[in-house]
Amino acid sequence: MKENIFRNYLELTSFKDFKEAKKPSEDYCVELINPKDFQLNKFFYKSIGKNCQWVDRLVWTELDWTKHVSNEKLFTYILKNKGEIAGYFELMFNKDTKEAEIAYFGILEEYFGRKLGGYLLSEAIKIAFGLKCIRVWVHTCSLDHKNALYNYLSRGMKIFKSETLIR
């Protein structure tokens, strides 16, 4: 049986259009993973991705993961709650085009319902613009969390492309 998947591409091209979500409490912070650690990226990809049907990287070897996180354009940030990991995002920053893609983004299931998605996305956008980018973009689809598209739109992002995929 075939399934339609609806994908939207969104962008924010000016920091002045950004609508920040507040930090839910002082218990939360966002930190850059430094040094890079493919095991954390792999953990988040599998843990968050299981509910969103992220499958592309499931076949990756440790070498594939190591090569991925070693990319100088990749920055991985984790959301922490009193030191415990709660979510993450991968930011791909292209110095030449001054664009940042929020490549992967998500909250662990046990942290759903705490208004963390808006805060984490706000931090991703602020970090991207802090790198002197002129455009932050992301894509989301109907397999992602039910609030994903709303979160992106609520932060001021605009849809610039939509498509339907059949799988």
Side-chain angles (χ1 to χ4, degrees):
M1 182 171 166
K2 303 244 182 222
E3 173 185 19
N4 286 342
I5 300 168
F6 305 99
R7 183 183 294 160
N8 288 295
Y9 295 80
L10 299 100
E11 66 184 354
L12 189 61
T13 57
S14 173
F15 191 72
K16 70 177 176 53
D17 295 329
F18 169 54
K19 297 172 186 146
E20 184 174 4
K22 294 187 178 176
K23 183 188 255 192
S25 83
E26 290 305 312
D27 293 339
Y28 293 96
C29 67
V30 174
E31 298 177 358
L32 175 66
I33 297 177
N34 190 11
K36 295 181 175 193
D37 180 353
F38 82 87
Q39 293 288 9
L40 276 170
N41 291 68
K42 182 178 177 181
F43 165 78
F44 280 118
Y45 181 87
K46 287 183 170 186
S47 298
I48 293 167
K50 72 178 183 233
N51 293 324
C52 304
Q53 299 182 38
W54 295 351
V55 296
D56 298 355
R57 297 180 183 179
L58 293 178
V59 296
W60 281 13
T61 65
E62 288 193 359
L63 181 58
D64 293 325
W65 280 103
T66 301
K67 285 167 66 175
H68 172 68
V69 300
S70 298
N71 183 337
E72 66 181 21
K73 295 178 180 182
L74 178 72
F75 300 91
T76 304
Y77 290 83
I78 54 175
L79 172 65
K80 289 187 174 181
N81 173 31
K82 296 181 184 175
E84 296 292 320
I85 57 175
Y88 91 126
F89 62 89
E90 291 184 5
L91 193 66
M92 291 292 286
F93 178 65
N94 185 320
K95 291 179 193 175
D96 297 329
T97 63
K98 298 197 182 315
E99 293 184 344
E101 175 190 5
I102 302 170
Y104 282 88
F105 175 93
I107 306 292
L108 294 173
E109 192 171 10
E110 56 267 33
Y111 287 93
F112 284 5
R114 300 185 193 188
K115 303 203 180 286
L116 297 173
Y119 166 64
L120 185 59
L121 181 56
S122 291
E123 293 299 299
I125 291 168
K126 288 191 301 188
I127 289 166
F129 277 105
L131 294 169
K132 307 288 187 233
C133 80
I134 58 171
R135 178 178 180 246
V136 180
W137 70 279
V138 66
H139 65 78
T140 188
C141 75
S142 53
L143 298 174
D144 289 339
H145 188 277
K146 63 181 181 173
N147 295 331
L149 181 59
Y150 175 77
N151 187 22
Y152 297 125
L153 293 170
S154 294
R155 303 290 71 79
M157 299 185 101
K158 305 284 186 229
I159 296 172
F160 69 90
K161 178 182 170 185
S162 296
E163 61 188 359
T164 301
L165 308 169
I166 300 171
R167 148 180 108 139

